[in-house]
Amino acid sequence: MAVYSHMTMSLDGYIADPDDGIGELFGWYGAGDVTVPGADEHTAFQVDADSAELLRGVLAGTGALVCGRRLFDLTNGWNDDHPIGAPVVVVTHNVPQDAATRPRTTFAGDVAEGIARAKEIAGDEDVCVASADIARQALDLGLVDEVVVSLVPVLLGAGIPYFAGLTGAPHRFDDPVVIQGRGATHLRYRVRR
Amino acid sequence: MAVYSHMTMSLDGYIADPDDGIGELFGWYGAGDVTVPGADEHTAFQVDADSAELLRGVLAGTGALVCGRRLFDLTNGWNDDHPIGAPVVVVTHNVPQDAATRPRTTFAGDVAEGIARAKEIAGDEDVCVASADIARQALDLGLVDEVVVSLVPVLLGAGIPYFAGLTGAPHRFDDPVVIQGRGATHLRYRVRR
């Protein structure tokens, strides 16, 4: 099992535009004719065959997700039912009042605790770090094994960065496994210790 | 013939560290056992076979380079003898006093003029934009045909960005031609009009 982060990122390093928009970035999730089912009947991706290979691996192997409070609030915690089907650990200092109504969501006080809880939940499966700010902190803490970037051929010029504010850099990776999909170049890096 | 930019860039978008250092980035130029000769007997690269393919294409096809005044000053204008063997056009408002002693260097007052002069010099060959700030302005002016990025598997955390300050974004590219070298993933994008 591994702790990995996966983000879709523009060539200039943004995971969303300044207003959290993902229109220029998430096209690859619908750019092909291979259907990859999500965890329930409401979720499916339509990707090219090569991106499907990446996506199936991600969906099948992930036993828990870790995200930050901002993403939790933006998505209403995926209504306690994340599309990839795994339980979610939210890193936050303020546990929401309706926490008891979210049996598949766990709240942790800091990044190290969040990753530790997610590893317990995932067991033999992988932990996915789903928020950029948590991924950055986990990288700086040495808690990330793999960084996956779906690199989109666009320059946004401005937006929300994936890797800003690292305090433990440089972080060095092995050369990536590369899958060229339609609308994204998927790069899978192993973090060097 | 095409106008292209080529930069070696960290995964977080930097072409040098904050002190202009390139130690974490330029390792791929010496990471293999295939010798690619430069334009003269003093210059040679030792790269892997896949990176050699990229580098030979760049070296053979480039008829002129365009750079900014900062890079010109940093390198002393490559002593009027750029390692890839092509004449250089420098974009600057202040022509240096020793310009007459530099027969293979041309000075232009702005980016559009610099690219135009370089195209005249290159003839049927390609024009390489060698400075990030010139590449950004040329992209915003619609004067770049191809963007080549040698993406290095490292997060620097800080440094000199390749793509900061674009005013004409989003710029959209076709999916890249990918060459996985040792120490760099070479991505060649065609700019969409």
Side-chain angles (χ1 to χ4, degrees), chain A residues 43-81:
Chain A
T43 312
F45 306 99
Q46 291 284 339
V47 296
D48 63 279
D50 294 310
S51 294
E53 181 189 330
L54 176 101
L55 216 44
R56 282 196 195 100
V58 169
L59 289 166
T62 301
L65 294 108
V66 182
C67 76
R69 183 58 188 265
R70 188 163 172 280
L71 185 56
F72 174 85
D73 286 341
L74 272 175
T75 62
N76 186 31
W78 297 278
N79 300 314
D80 204 40
D81 186 19

PDB file of all heavy atoms in Angstrom, chain A residues 43-81:
ATOM      1  N   THR A  43     -22.123   7.514 -11.033  1.00  0.00           N
ATOM      2  CA  THR A  43     -20.840   8.064 -11.430  1.00  0.00           C
ATOM      3  C   THR A  43     -20.207   7.206 -12.514  1.00  0.00           C
ATOM      4  O   THR A  43     -20.090   5.988 -12.348  1.00  0.00           O
ATOM      5  CB  THR A  43     -19.877   8.110 -10.228  1.00  0.00           C
ATOM      6  OG1 THR A  43     -20.544   8.684  -9.121  1.00  0.00           O
ATOM      7  CG2 THR A  43     -18.643   8.926 -10.564  1.00  0.00           C
ATOM      8  N   ALA A  44     -19.805   7.831 -13.604  1.00  0.00           N
ATOM      9  CA  ALA A  44     -19.044   7.114 -14.619  1.00  0.00           C
ATOM     10  C   ALA A  44     -18.190   8.125 -15.362  1.00  0.00           C
ATOM     11  O   ALA A  44     -18.542   9.299 -15.465  1.00  0.00           O
ATOM     12  CB  ALA A  44     -19.976   6.384 -15.586  1.00  0.00           C
ATOM     13  N   PHE A  45     -17.032   7.673 -15.817  1.00  0.00           N
ATOM     14  CA  PHE A  45     -16.144   8.515 -16.594  1.00  0.00           C
ATOM     15  C   PHE A  45     -16.115   7.979 -18.025  1.00  0.00           C
ATOM     16  O   PHE A  45     -16.218   6.769 -18.245  1.00  0.00           O
ATOM     17  CB  PHE A  45     -14.740   8.501 -15.981  1.00  0.00           C
ATOM     18  CG  PHE A  45     -14.722   8.864 -14.526  1.00  0.00           C
ATOM     19  CD1 PHE A  45     -14.656   7.878 -13.549  1.00  0.00           C
ATOM     20  CD2 PHE A  45     -14.783  10.187 -14.114  1.00  0.00           C
ATOM     21  CE1 PHE A  45     -14.650   8.206 -12.200  1.00  0.00           C
ATOM     22  CE2 PHE A  45     -14.776  10.520 -12.769  1.00  0.00           C
ATOM     23  CZ  PHE A  45     -14.708   9.526 -11.805  1.00  0.00           C
ATOM     24  N   GLN A  46     -15.973   8.888 -19.002  1.00  0.00           N
ATOM     25  CA  GLN A  46     -15.896   8.501 -20.418  1.00  0.00           C
ATOM     26  C   GLN A  46     -14.539   8.952 -20.917  1.00  0.00           C
ATOM     27  O   GLN A  46     -14.385  10.082 -21.347  1.00  0.00           O
ATOM     28  CB  GLN A  46     -17.004   9.196 -21.215  1.00  0.00           C
ATOM     29  CG  GLN A  46     -18.409   8.724 -20.905  1.00  0.00           C
ATOM     30  CD  GLN A  46     -18.712   7.372 -21.537  1.00  0.00           C
ATOM     31  OE1 GLN A  46     -18.063   6.971 -22.482  1.00  0.00           O
ATOM     32  NE2 GLN A  46     -19.681   6.656 -20.990  1.00  0.00           N
ATOM     33  N   VAL A  47     -13.584   8.061 -20.844  1.00  0.00           N
ATOM     34  CA  VAL A  47     -12.216   8.466 -21.165  1.00  0.00           C
ATOM     35  C   VAL A  47     -11.654   7.612 -22.296  1.00  0.00           C
ATOM     36  O   VAL A  47     -12.245   6.603 -22.687  1.00  0.00           O
ATOM     37  CB  VAL A  47     -11.307   8.353 -19.917  1.00  0.00           C
ATOM     38  CG1 VAL A  47     -11.768   9.322 -18.827  1.00  0.00           C
ATOM     39  CG2 VAL A  47     -11.263   6.930 -19.387  1.00  0.00           C
ATOM     40  N   ASP A  48     -10.500   8.027 -22.802  1.00  0.00           N
ATOM     41  CA  ASP A  48      -9.807   7.214 -23.803  1.00  0.00           C
ATOM     42  C   ASP A  48      -9.233   5.975 -23.127  1.00  0.00           C
ATOM     43  O   ASP A  48      -9.130   5.903 -21.895  1.00  0.00           O
ATOM     44  CB  ASP A  48      -8.693   8.035 -24.452  1.00  0.00           C
ATOM     45  CG  ASP A  48      -7.646   8.443 -23.446  1.00  0.00           C
ATOM     46  OD1 ASP A  48      -7.861   9.437 -22.721  1.00  0.00           O
ATOM     47  OD2 ASP A  48      -6.607   7.761 -23.348  1.00  0.00           O
ATOM     48  N   ALA A  49      -8.822   4.993 -23.937  1.00  0.00           N
ATOM     49  CA  ALA A  49      -8.398   3.696 -23.404  1.00  0.00           C
ATOM     50  C   ALA A  49      -7.186   3.832 -22.484  1.00  0.00           C
ATOM     51  O   ALA A  49      -7.086   3.128 -21.467  1.00  0.00           O
ATOM     52  CB  ALA A  49      -8.091   2.739 -24.555  1.00  0.00           C
ATOM     53  N   ASP A  50      -6.262   4.736 -22.821  1.00  0.00           N
ATOM     54  CA  ASP A  50      -5.059   4.866 -21.996  1.00  0.00           C
ATOM     55  C   ASP A  50      -5.375   5.520 -20.646  1.00  0.00           C
ATOM     56  O   ASP A  50      -4.897   5.091 -19.602  1.00  0.00           O
ATOM     57  CB  ASP A  50      -3.996   5.670 -22.749  1.00  0.00           C
ATOM     58  CG  ASP A  50      -3.500   4.929 -23.982  1.00  0.00           C
ATOM     59  OD1 ASP A  50      -3.148   3.747 -23.862  1.00  0.00           O
ATOM     60  OD2 ASP A  50      -3.492   5.527 -25.071  1.00  0.00           O
ATOM     61  N   SER A  51      -6.199   6.560 -20.670  1.00  0.00           N
ATOM     62  CA  SER A  51      -6.606   7.183 -19.410  1.00  0.00           C
ATOM     63  C   SER A  51      -7.436   6.211 -18.577  1.00  0.00           C
ATOM     64  O   SER A  51      -7.377   6.234 -17.339  1.00  0.00           O
ATOM     65  CB  SER A  51      -7.415   8.456 -19.682  1.00  0.00           C
ATOM     66  OG  SER A  51      -6.617   9.440 -20.300  1.00  0.00           O
ATOM     67  N   ALA A  52      -8.191   5.342 -19.248  1.00  0.00           N
ATOM     68  CA  ALA A  52      -8.991   4.345 -18.519  1.00  0.00           C
ATOM     69  C   ALA A  52      -8.096   3.437 -17.691  1.00  0.00           C
ATOM     70  O   ALA A  52      -8.432   3.075 -16.554  1.00  0.00           O
ATOM     71  CB  ALA A  52      -9.834   3.524 -19.496  1.00  0.00           C
ATOM     72  N   GLU A  53      -6.955   3.086 -18.275  1.00  0.00           N
ATOM     73  CA  GLU A  53      -5.999   2.232 -17.559  1.00  0.00           C
ATOM     74  C   GLU A  53      -5.573   2.905 -16.255  1.00  0.00           C
ATOM     75  O   GLU A  53      -5.568   2.290 -15.187  1.00  0.00           O
ATOM     76  CB  GLU A  53      -4.788   1.999 -18.468  1.00  0.00           C
ATOM     77  CG  GLU A  53      -3.713   1.109 -17.894  1.00  0.00           C
ATOM     78  CD  GLU A  53      -2.454   1.128 -18.776  1.00  0.00           C
ATOM     79  OE1 GLU A  53      -2.569   1.315 -20.008  1.00  0.00           O
ATOM     80  OE2 GLU A  53      -1.344   0.992 -18.217  1.00  0.00           O
ATOM     81  N   LEU A  54      -5.226   4.197 -16.345  1.00  0.00           N
ATOM     82  CA  LEU A  54      -4.842   4.938 -15.142  1.00  0.00           C
ATOM     83  C   LEU A  54      -5.980   4.994 -14.139  1.00  0.00           C
ATOM     84  O   LEU A  54      -5.812   4.719 -12.952  1.00  0.00           O
ATOM     85  CB  LEU A  54      -4.432   6.368 -15.519  1.00  0.00           C
ATOM     86  CG  LEU A  54      -4.118   7.248 -14.303  1.00  0.00           C
ATOM     87  CD1 LEU A  54      -2.623   7.371 -14.106  1.00  0.00           C
ATOM     88  CD2 LEU A  54      -4.764   8.611 -14.390  1.00  0.00           C
ATOM     89  N   LEU A  55      -7.160   5.325 -14.634  1.00  0.00           N
ATOM     90  CA  LEU A  55      -8.300   5.575 -13.758  1.00  0.00           C
ATOM     91  C   LEU A  55      -8.739   4.296 -13.052  1.00  0.00           C
ATOM     92  O   LEU A  55      -9.059   4.316 -11.854  1.00  0.00           O
ATOM     93  CB  LEU A  55      -9.434   6.149 -14.605  1.00  0.00           C
ATOM     94  CG  LEU A  55     -10.344   7.198 -14.013  1.00  0.00           C
ATOM     95  CD1 LEU A  55      -9.617   8.265 -13.240  1.00  0.00           C
ATOM     96  CD2 LEU A  55     -11.154   7.856 -15.141  1.00  0.00           C
ATOM     97  N   ARG A  56      -8.726   3.171 -13.768  1.00  0.00           N
ATOM     98  CA  ARG A  56      -9.127   1.902 -13.155  1.00  0.00           C
ATOM     99  C   ARG A  56      -8.184   1.546 -12.012  1.00  0.00           C
ATOM    100  O   ARG A  56      -8.609   1.087 -10.959  1.00  0.00           O
ATOM    101  CB  ARG A  56      -9.119   0.783 -14.198  1.00  0.00           C
ATOM    102  CG  ARG A  56     -10.329   0.810 -15.111  1.00  0.00           C
ATOM    103  CD  ARG A  56     -10.490  -0.519 -15.857  1.00  0.00           C
ATOM    104  NE  ARG A  56     -11.418  -0.373 -16.968  1.00  0.00           N
ATOM    105  CZ  ARG A  56     -11.047  -0.217 -18.247  1.00  0.00           C
ATOM    106  NH1 ARG A  56      -9.767  -0.204 -18.565  1.00  0.00           N
ATOM    107  NH2 ARG A  56     -11.961  -0.070 -19.184  1.00  0.00           N
ATOM    108  N   GLY A  57      -6.896   1.796 -12.231  1.00  0.00           N
ATOM    109  CA  GLY A  57      -5.925   1.520 -11.172  1.00  0.00           C
ATOM    110  C   GLY A  57      -6.184   2.364  -9.945  1.00  0.00           C
ATOM    111  O   GLY A  57      -6.151   1.878  -8.809  1.00  0.00           O
ATOM    112  N   VAL A  58      -6.493   3.638 -10.180  1.00  0.00           N
ATOM    113  CA  VAL A  58      -6.765   4.538  -9.062  1.00  0.00           C
ATOM    114  C   VAL A  58      -8.025   4.103  -8.316  1.00  0.00           C
ATOM    115  O   VAL A  58      -8.061   4.019  -7.089  1.00  0.00           O
ATOM    116  CB  VAL A  58      -6.907   5.992  -9.577  1.00  0.00           C
ATOM    117  CG1 VAL A  58      -7.458   6.893  -8.494  1.00  0.00           C
ATOM    118  CG2 VAL A  58      -5.564   6.518 -10.067  1.00  0.00           C
ATOM    119  N   LEU A  59      -9.078   3.811  -9.080  1.00  0.00           N
ATOM    120  CA  LEU A  59     -10.362   3.479  -8.452  1.00  0.00           C
ATOM    121  C   LEU A  59     -10.288   2.169  -7.687  1.00  0.00           C
ATOM    122  O   LEU A  59     -10.843   2.030  -6.596  1.00  0.00           O
ATOM    123  CB  LEU A  59     -11.454   3.386  -9.523  1.00  0.00           C
ATOM    124  CG  LEU A  59     -11.862   4.719 -10.153  1.00  0.00           C
ATOM    125  CD1 LEU A  59     -12.675   4.494 -11.419  1.00  0.00           C
ATOM    126  CD2 LEU A  59     -12.669   5.546  -9.164  1.00  0.00           C
ATOM    127  N   ALA A  60      -9.586   1.185  -8.266  1.00  0.00           N
ATOM    128  CA  ALA A  60      -9.584  -0.147  -7.661  1.00  0.00           C
ATOM    129  C   ALA A  60      -8.743  -0.200  -6.399  1.00  0.00           C
ATOM    130  O   ALA A  60      -9.065  -0.903  -5.451  1.00  0.00           O
ATOM    131  CB  ALA A  60      -9.071  -1.165  -8.671  1.00  0.00           C
ATOM    132  N   GLY A  61      -7.639   0.559  -6.382  1.00  0.00           N
ATOM    133  CA  GLY A  61      -6.670   0.346  -5.315  1.00  0.00           C
ATOM    134  C   GLY A  61      -6.781   1.248  -4.113  1.00  0.00           C
ATOM    135  O   GLY A  61      -6.026   1.102  -3.154  1.00  0.00           O
ATOM    136  N   THR A  62      -7.712   2.191  -4.146  1.00  0.00           N
ATOM    137  CA  THR A  62      -7.741   3.213  -3.095  1.00  0.00           C
ATOM    138  C   THR A  62      -8.713   2.843  -1.982  1.00  0.00           C
ATOM    139  O   THR A  62      -9.906   2.683  -2.220  1.00  0.00           O
ATOM    140  CB  THR A  62      -8.111   4.585  -3.710  1.00  0.00           C
ATOM    141  OG1 THR A  62      -7.133   4.909  -4.706  1.00  0.00           O
ATOM    142  CG2 THR A  62      -8.133   5.657  -2.639  1.00  0.00           C
ATOM    143  N   GLY A  63      -8.175   2.749  -0.772  1.00  0.00           N
ATOM    144  CA  GLY A  63      -8.994   2.347   0.367  1.00  0.00           C
ATOM    145  C   GLY A  63      -9.456   3.481   1.251  1.00  0.00           C
ATOM    146  O   GLY A  63     -10.337   3.304   2.096  1.00  0.00           O
ATOM    147  N   ALA A  64      -8.855   4.656   1.080  1.00  0.00           N
ATOM    148  CA  ALA A  64      -9.288   5.827   1.860  1.00  0.00           C
ATOM    149  C   ALA A  64      -8.748   7.083   1.189  1.00  0.00           C
ATOM    150  O   ALA A  64      -7.733   7.044   0.486  1.00  0.00           O
ATOM    151  CB  ALA A  64      -8.778   5.744   3.301  1.00  0.00           C
ATOM    152  N   LEU A  65      -9.447   8.200   1.418  1.00  0.00           N
ATOM    153  CA  LEU A  65      -9.000   9.498   0.916  1.00  0.00           C
ATOM    154  C   LEU A  65      -8.763  10.435   2.083  1.00  0.00           C
ATOM    155  O   LEU A  65      -9.433  10.344   3.115  1.00  0.00           O
ATOM    156  CB  LEU A  65     -10.056  10.131   0.013  1.00  0.00           C
ATOM    157  CG  LEU A  65     -10.354   9.410  -1.296  1.00  0.00           C
ATOM    158  CD1 LEU A  65     -11.718   8.757  -1.227  1.00  0.00           C
ATOM    159  CD2 LEU A  65     -10.276  10.378  -2.465  1.00  0.00           C
ATOM    160  N   VAL A  66      -7.825  11.365   1.871  1.00  0.00           N
ATOM    161  CA  VAL A  66      -7.602  12.437   2.840  1.00  0.00           C
ATOM    162  C   VAL A  66      -7.822  13.759   2.120  1.00  0.00           C
ATOM    163  O   VAL A  66      -7.270  13.970   1.031  1.00  0.00           O
ATOM    164  CB  VAL A  66      -6.173  12.399   3.416  1.00  0.00           C
ATOM    165  CG1 VAL A  66      -5.991  13.494   4.464  1.00  0.00           C
ATOM    166  CG2 VAL A  66      -5.864  11.034   4.009  1.00  0.00           C
ATOM    167  N   CYS A  67      -8.627  14.637   2.699  1.00  0.00           N
ATOM    168  CA  CYS A  67      -8.803  15.950   2.082  1.00  0.00           C
ATOM    169  C   CYS A  67      -8.780  17.033   3.159  1.00  0.00           C
ATOM    170  O   CYS A  67      -8.759  16.748   4.358  1.00  0.00           O
ATOM    171  CB  CYS A  67     -10.097  16.016   1.271  1.00  0.00           C
ATOM    172  SG  CYS A  67     -11.582  16.171   2.257  1.00  0.00           S
ATOM    173  N   GLY A  68      -8.767  18.268   2.722  1.00  0.00           N
ATOM    174  CA  GLY A  68      -8.783  19.401   3.631  1.00  0.00           C
ATOM    175  C   GLY A  68     -10.190  19.923   3.832  1.00  0.00           C
ATOM    176  O   GLY A  68     -11.137  19.515   3.146  1.00  0.00           O
ATOM    177  N   ARG A  69     -10.334  20.875   4.744  1.00  0.00           N
ATOM    178  CA  ARG A  69     -11.647  21.396   5.068  1.00  0.00           C
ATOM    179  C   ARG A  69     -12.253  22.177   3.909  1.00  0.00           C
ATOM    180  O   ARG A  69     -13.464  22.183   3.701  1.00  0.00           O
ATOM    181  CB  ARG A  69     -11.535  22.286   6.316  1.00  0.00           C
ATOM    182  CG  ARG A  69     -12.857  22.843   6.791  1.00  0.00           C
ATOM    183  CD  ARG A  69     -13.835  21.700   7.100  1.00  0.00           C
ATOM    184  NE  ARG A  69     -15.173  22.175   7.374  1.00  0.00           N
ATOM    185  CZ  ARG A  69     -15.640  22.407   8.598  1.00  0.00           C
ATOM    186  NH1 ARG A  69     -14.875  22.174   9.645  1.00  0.00           N
ATOM    187  NH2 ARG A  69     -16.864  22.861   8.774  1.00  0.00           N
ATOM    188  N   ARG A  70     -11.375  22.847   3.121  1.00  0.00           N
ATOM    189  CA  ARG A  70     -11.882  23.661   2.021  1.00  0.00           C
ATOM    190  C   ARG A  70     -12.587  22.791   0.973  1.00  0.00           C
ATOM    191  O   ARG A  70     -13.689  23.094   0.530  1.00  0.00           O
ATOM    192  CB  ARG A  70     -10.704  24.417   1.385  1.00  0.00           C
ATOM    193  CG  ARG A  70     -11.112  25.440   0.362  1.00  0.00           C
ATOM    194  CD  ARG A  70      -9.983  26.434   0.087  1.00  0.00           C
ATOM    195  NE  ARG A  70     -10.353  27.282  -1.028  1.00  0.00           N
ATOM    196  CZ  ARG A  70     -10.258  26.902  -2.281  1.00  0.00           C
ATOM    197  NH1 ARG A  70      -9.778  25.730  -2.584  1.00  0.00           N
ATOM    198  NH2 ARG A  70     -10.651  27.713  -3.249  1.00  0.00           N
ATOM    199  N   LEU A  71     -11.945  21.680   0.604  1.00  0.00           N
ATOM    200  CA  LEU A  71     -12.552  20.784  -0.385  1.00  0.00           C
ATOM    201  C   LEU A  71     -13.795  20.120   0.195  1.00  0.00           C
ATOM    202  O   LEU A  71     -14.806  19.946  -0.499  1.00  0.00           O
ATOM    203  CB  LEU A  71     -11.522  19.736  -0.834  1.00  0.00           C
ATOM    204  CG  LEU A  71     -11.934  18.785  -1.963  1.00  0.00           C
ATOM    205  CD1 LEU A  71     -12.361  19.533  -3.216  1.00  0.00           C
ATOM    206  CD2 LEU A  71     -10.803  17.818  -2.286  1.00  0.00           C
ATOM    207  N   PHE A  72     -13.725  19.775   1.468  1.00  0.00           N
ATOM    208  CA  PHE A  72     -14.890  19.207   2.155  1.00  0.00           C
ATOM    209  C   PHE A  72     -16.079  20.169   2.062  1.00  0.00           C
ATOM    210  O   PHE A  72     -17.202  19.773   1.720  1.00  0.00           O
ATOM    211  CB  PHE A  72     -14.537  18.925   3.626  1.00  0.00           C
ATOM    212  CG  PHE A  72     -15.692  18.461   4.474  1.00  0.00           C
ATOM    213  CD1 PHE A  72     -16.054  17.120   4.508  1.00  0.00           C
ATOM    214  CD2 PHE A  72     -16.412  19.369   5.237  1.00  0.00           C
ATOM    215  CE1 PHE A  72     -17.133  16.695   5.296  1.00  0.00           C
ATOM    216  CE2 PHE A  72     -17.485  18.946   6.030  1.00  0.00           C
ATOM    217  CZ  PHE A  72     -17.844  17.607   6.053  1.00  0.00           C
ATOM    218  N   ASP A  73     -15.825  21.456   2.342  1.00  0.00           N
ATOM    219  CA  ASP A  73     -16.914  22.435   2.300  1.00  0.00           C
ATOM    220  C   ASP A  73     -17.417  22.648   0.874  1.00  0.00           C
ATOM    221  O   ASP A  73     -18.620  22.755   0.637  1.00  0.00           O
ATOM    222  CB  ASP A  73     -16.439  23.770   2.896  1.00  0.00           C
ATOM    223  CG  ASP A  73     -16.312  23.708   4.423  1.00  0.00           C
ATOM    224  OD1 ASP A  73     -16.909  22.796   5.033  1.00  0.00           O
ATOM    225  OD2 ASP A  73     -15.609  24.562   4.987  1.00  0.00           O
ATOM    226  N   LEU A  74     -16.465  22.713  -0.087  1.00  0.00           N
ATOM    227  CA  LEU A  74     -16.850  22.931  -1.484  1.00  0.00           C
ATOM    228  C   LEU A  74     -17.777  21.834  -1.993  1.00  0.00           C
ATOM    229  O   LEU A  74     -18.663  22.079  -2.804  1.00  0.00           O
ATOM    230  CB  LEU A  74     -15.592  22.947  -2.385  1.00  0.00           C
ATOM    231  CG  LEU A  74     -14.865  24.266  -2.605  1.00  0.00           C
ATOM    232  CD1 LEU A  74     -13.593  24.022  -3.406  1.00  0.00           C
ATOM    233  CD2 LEU A  74     -15.759  25.260  -3.331  1.00  0.00           C
ATOM    234  N   THR A  75     -17.558  20.595  -1.527  1.00  0.00           N
ATOM    235  CA  THR A  75     -18.303  19.441  -2.059  1.00  0.00           C
ATOM    236  C   THR A  75     -19.378  18.956  -1.091  1.00  0.00           C
ATOM    237  O   THR A  75     -20.018  17.933  -1.363  1.00  0.00           O
ATOM    238  CB  THR A  75     -17.339  18.264  -2.312  1.00  0.00           C
ATOM    239  OG1 THR A  75     -16.747  17.886  -1.041  1.00  0.00           O
ATOM    240  CG2 THR A  75     -16.245  18.639  -3.292  1.00  0.00           C
ATOM    241  N   ASN A  76     -19.564  19.669   0.024  1.00  0.00           N
ATOM    242  CA  ASN A  76     -20.400  19.163   1.127  1.00  0.00           C
ATOM    243  C   ASN A  76     -19.991  17.740   1.505  1.00  0.00           C
ATOM    244  O   ASN A  76     -20.827  16.852   1.720  1.00  0.00           O
ATOM    245  CB  ASN A  76     -21.890  19.228   0.788  1.00  0.00           C
ATOM    246  CG  ASN A  76     -22.755  18.845   1.990  1.00  0.00           C
ATOM    247  OD1 ASN A  76     -22.370  19.087   3.140  1.00  0.00           O
ATOM    248  ND2 ASN A  76     -23.893  18.218   1.737  1.00  0.00           N
ATOM    249  N   GLY A  77     -18.686  17.525   1.550  1.00  0.00           N
ATOM    250  CA  GLY A  77     -18.173  16.201   1.943  1.00  0.00           C
ATOM    251  C   GLY A  77     -18.672  15.083   1.042  1.00  0.00           C
ATOM    252  O   GLY A  77     -18.815  13.946   1.479  1.00  0.00           O
ATOM    253  N   TRP A  78     -18.912  15.415  -0.235  1.00  0.00           N
ATOM    254  CA  TRP A  78     -19.427  14.427  -1.211  1.00  0.00           C
ATOM    255  C   TRP A  78     -20.667  13.717  -0.647  1.00  0.00           C
ATOM    256  O   TRP A  78     -20.916  12.546  -0.939  1.00  0.00           O
ATOM    257  CB  TRP A  78     -18.346  13.408  -1.608  1.00  0.00           C
ATOM    258  CG  TRP A  78     -17.179  14.039  -2.304  1.00  0.00           C
ATOM    259  CD1 TRP A  78     -17.092  14.374  -3.628  1.00  0.00           C
ATOM    260  CD2 TRP A  78     -15.908  14.425  -1.733  1.00  0.00           C
ATOM    261  NE1 TRP A  78     -15.862  14.952  -3.909  1.00  0.00           N
ATOM    262  CE2 TRP A  78     -15.120  14.988  -2.751  1.00  0.00           C
ATOM    263  CE3 TRP A  78     -15.379  14.356  -0.441  1.00  0.00           C
ATOM    264  CZ2 TRP A  78     -13.834  15.475  -2.541  1.00  0.00           C
ATOM    265  CZ3 TRP A  78     -14.092  14.844  -0.224  1.00  0.00           C
ATOM    266  CH2 TRP A  78     -13.341  15.387  -1.264  1.00  0.00           C
ATOM    267  N   ASN A  79     -21.413  14.408   0.214  1.00  0.00           N
ATOM    268  CA  ASN A  79     -22.591  13.803   0.852  1.00  0.00           C
ATOM    269  C   ASN A  79     -22.279  12.448   1.482  1.00  0.00           C
ATOM    270  O   ASN A  79     -23.083  11.514   1.420  1.00  0.00           O
ATOM    271  CB  ASN A  79     -23.742  13.677  -0.169  1.00  0.00           C
ATOM    272  CG  ASN A  79     -24.136  15.034  -0.719  1.00  0.00           C
ATOM    273  OD1 ASN A  79     -24.303  16.001   0.033  1.00  0.00           O
ATOM    274  ND2 ASN A  79     -24.248  15.128  -2.036  1.00  0.00           N
ATOM    275  N   ASP A  80     -21.097  12.374   2.059  1.00  0.00           N
ATOM    276  CA  ASP A  80     -20.638  11.152   2.741  1.00  0.00           C
ATOM    277  C   ASP A  80     -20.506   9.961   1.786  1.00  0.00           C
ATOM    278  O   ASP A  80     -20.515   8.811   2.225  1.00  0.00           O
ATOM    279  CB  ASP A  80     -21.583  10.788   3.901  1.00  0.00           C
ATOM    280  CG  ASP A  80     -20.862   9.939   4.963  1.00  0.00           C
ATOM    281  OD1 ASP A  80     -19.692  10.234   5.257  1.00  0.00           O
ATOM    282  OD2 ASP A  80     -21.467   8.983   5.464  1.00  0.00           O
ATOM    283  N   ASP A  81     -20.332  10.238   0.501  1.00  0.00           N
ATOM    284  CA  ASP A  81     -20.339   9.157  -0.487  1.00  0.00           C
ATOM    285  C   ASP A  81     -19.428   9.561  -1.654  1.00  0.00           C
ATOM    286  O   ASP A  81     -19.899   9.935  -2.732  1.00  0.00           O
ATOM    287  CB  ASP A  81     -21.778   8.933  -0.968  1.00  0.00           C
ATOM    288  CG  ASP A  81     -21.896   7.730  -1.889  1.00  0.00           C
ATOM    289  OD1 ASP A  81     -20.993   6.874  -1.877  1.00  0.00           O
ATOM    290  OD2 ASP A  81     -22.899   7.663  -2.627  1.00  0.00           O
TER     291      ASP A  81
END
